[in-house]
Amino acid sequence: MRAPNFYAHPGFERAGLRRRESEWIRARVLDRESLFVPVWRSQSLVLASEAGEAQAVILGAQTVATLLGSGNGELEEQQAQGQVIFLGLIDDRAHFALDLSVHDAPLDVLRSPALAGAGLAASGLRFGDLRQFGAGLARHEGALLALARAMTFWHSRHRFCGVCGAPTRSEEAGHVRRCTAPNCATVHFPRTDPAVIMLVTDGDRALLGRNKNFLPGMYSTLAGFVEPGESLEDAVAREVREETAIEVRAVHYHSSQPWPFPANIMLGFYAEAASTAITVDYGELEDARWFERDWLLSHTDDDNFRLPRRDSIARRLIEDWLARSGS
Ligand SMILES: [Zn+2]
C-alpha cells in the first residue's frame, strides 16, 4: 500500500460524534493532556532554525488556560466565536486549533510575562505560511497544521450568514456555524472545494505546464476547479482542453490530497492524450510542453527546470508515473 499524500493523516481520529457533547469538549479544553495548534490569520506557529528548517510548535493546556482564561464564560465565548476548535484525537489526546487572530501581535502575547516558563522565548519562534515550510515538517505535524489552518480559515470567512447577513456563532466544537437571527437560524458547515489535478501522458511523454507565479523553472501538472453540475472526469477533460487544447481519454483516478491553501481537496488523475498539438492559453499558463520520461528521470532541479514541491500531489503523480517500468 502506498503512503498517503502529504497533509493527509489516516491515523487521526476526528471523533466527530463527540463534537456535540459540550461538557466532554469543555473538559478536554481544560484537560492538561490536551494540545492546541495555534493559528494566526492563516499562519502557523513554528520554531525556525537559521538553516531554514522548521518545527511545529504545539501549545499545552496550561499555556492555553493562561491565554484564554477559564472562568466567567470566557471559554464559552471564545468557543462560540470559533477561536477554539476541536480537531480530534491522537493517541486519545484531544487536539484543538487555537485561533489567535484577534491579536495584532501574537508573538508578544505568547511571550508575555504570564507565559514565562512556557518555553516560548526562543528567537526562532514565528508565525509563517505553511506553504513555505510544510514539506520539511514531520507528516503528522504537517497534517495537523493543515487541518487547523483549514478550520480557522473557514471560521474567518463565515462570521456572517450568507442567507440573511446576521452574525453566526460556532457550535459543535467548531464544526458548525449557526445564524443568530431566530427567523433564519441557517446552519453552515465547513467547506472544502474540489479541484482536479491531472497528469496527461502520451506514451513516454508527459504534459507539464507552468504558471507565471511558479518558482523559476517549475513545471507541474495541470489543475483546475470542478464546476457545478460537472463530473470529475469532465472537469479533467475541460481543464486540459481549455489550458492546452489537448483532448484526453481514459481518465483514471489516482488519489486525493487535502490542500488547505485555502480550502481545497485536490483530486488526482491520470489521463491519456487523444491529441498532442499544444495551444497554450496564456491567460492561464505561461508555457506547456511535452517532457520525455527519460529526460525527466535524468534531470535534477535547477532554475531552467524543476518539478513541483515535494509535499504536493502534483509531484506524487509525476513520480509515480516515472517509477512505472516501461509504458
Ligand atoms: Zn441567517
Side-chain angles (χ1 to χ4, degrees), residues 161 164 179 184:
C161 178
C164 76
C179 175
C184 177

Side-chain angles (χ1 to χ4, degrees), residues 5-8 14 129-132 134-135 142-143 145-147 149-151 153 191-197 214 218 220 223 225 256-267 308-316:
N5 290 312
F6 212 88
Y7 301 124
R14 287 174 180 251
D129 192 327
L130 185 56
R131 274 170 291 197
Q132 287 168 9
L145 267 51
L147 173 57
R149 187 190 203 275
M151 289 302 294
F153 177 82
R191 290 286 310 271
T192 187
D193 296 328
V196 287
I197 182 161
F214 284 179
M218 189 182 118
S220 186
F225 287 107
S256 65
Q257 180 182 40
W259 192 248
F261 307 112
N264 304 124
I265 175 86
M266 305 302 289
L267 303 157
R309 44 192 294 158
R310 293 190 177 277
D311 58 348
S312 67
I313 188 173
R315 180 71 171 243
R316 182 69 178 275

Side-chain angles (χ1 to χ4, degrees), residues 20-319:
R20 294 184 187 183
E21 296 177 30
S22 52
E23 282 309 307
W24 184 84
I25 293 289
R26 182 181 164 78
R28 296 287 77 70
V29 174
L30 300 172
D31 187 339
R32 287 179 173 227
E33 290 293 303
S34 296
L35 294 172
F36 296 76
V37 183
V39 183
W40 179 73
R41 301 179 188 176
S42 284
Q43 300 196 348
S44 308
L45 185 62
V46 291
L47 191 58
S49 72
E50 285 186 9
E53 286 161 358
Q55 196 182 333
V57 176
I58 312 288
L59 303 179
Q62 269 179 295
T63 302
V64 173
T66 309
L67 269 172
L68 296 182
S70 53
N72 300 329
E74 285 166 294
L75 194 55
E76 282 77 4
E77 184 53 29
Q78 274 150 342
Q79 281 190 265
Q81 294 298 335
Q83 289 168 23
V84 181
I85 304 159
F86 178 59
L87 300 177
L89 302 168
I90 298 174
D91 297 334
D92 288 331
R93 281 181 110 172
H95 285 62
F96 293 86
L98 177 68
D99 190 345
L100 297 174
S101 301
V102 293
H103 303 288
D104 285 329
L107 285 181
D108 291 350
V109 174
L110 293 174
R111 288 178 173 144
S112 68
L115 292 176
L120 298 169
S123 61
L125 195 72
R126 66 179 176 89
F127 280 93
D129 192 327
L130 185 56
R131 274 170 291 197
Q132 287 168 9
F133 49 76
L137 295 175
R139 277 175 170 268
H140 70 282
E141 286 189 345
L144 196 57
L145 267 51
L147 173 57
R149 187 190 203 275
M151 289 302 294
T152 54
F153 177 82
W154 173 71
H155 279 274
S156 75
R157 299 302 167 101
H158 291 81
R159 293 183 299 126
F160 297 91
C161 178
V163 178
C164 76
T168 60
R169 303 266 288 175
S170 172
E171 294 182 0
E172 299 195 16
H175 291 262
V176 162
R177 286 190 80 96
R178 186 186 300 274
C179 175
T180 54
N183 59 351
C184 177
T186 299
V187 175
H188 303 272
F189 296 96
R191 290 286 310 271
T192 187
D193 296 328
V196 287
I197 182 161
M198 47 276 174
L199 184 65
V200 179
T201 60
D202 172 42
D204 273 344
R205 303 192 297 173
L207 177 66
L208 301 177
R210 65 169 277 113
N211 178 307
K212 57 181 175 296
N213 301 320
F214 284 179
L215 284 175
M218 189 182 118
Y219 279 76
S220 186
T221 55
L222 305 182
F225 287 107
V226 181
E227 295 186 349
E230 187 174 49
S231 72
L232 302 180
E233 297 85 341
D234 287 347
V236 168
R238 176 184 53 76
E239 283 290 342
V240 174
R241 188 186 307 119
E242 285 177 2
E243 294 184 4
T244 63
I246 284 175
E247 297 294 332
V248 298
R249 62 187 166 211
V251 175
H252 293 296
Y253 177 70
H254 177 275
S255 62
S256 65
Q257 180 182 40
W259 192 248
F261 307 112
N264 304 124
I265 175 86
M266 305 302 289
L267 303 157
F269 289 86
Y270 288 119
E272 289 174 19
S275 68
T276 58
I278 298 170
T279 304
V280 174
D281 171 11
Y282 292 104
E284 295 267 345
L285 297 178
E286 189 176 87
D287 189 24
R289 293 185 217 170
W290 290 107
F291 291 87
E292 296 286 341
R293 178 200 298 272
D294 288 345
W295 188 88
L296 289 170
L297 283 169
S298 63
H299 196 278
T300 44
D301 288 354
D302 60 28
D303 282 354
N304 295 314
F305 179 84
R306 70 180 72 241
L307 288 175
R309 44 192 294 158
R310 293 190 177 277
D311 58 348
S312 67
I313 188 173
R315 180 71 171 243
R316 182 69 178 275
L317 288 167
I318 296 167
E319 288 190 341

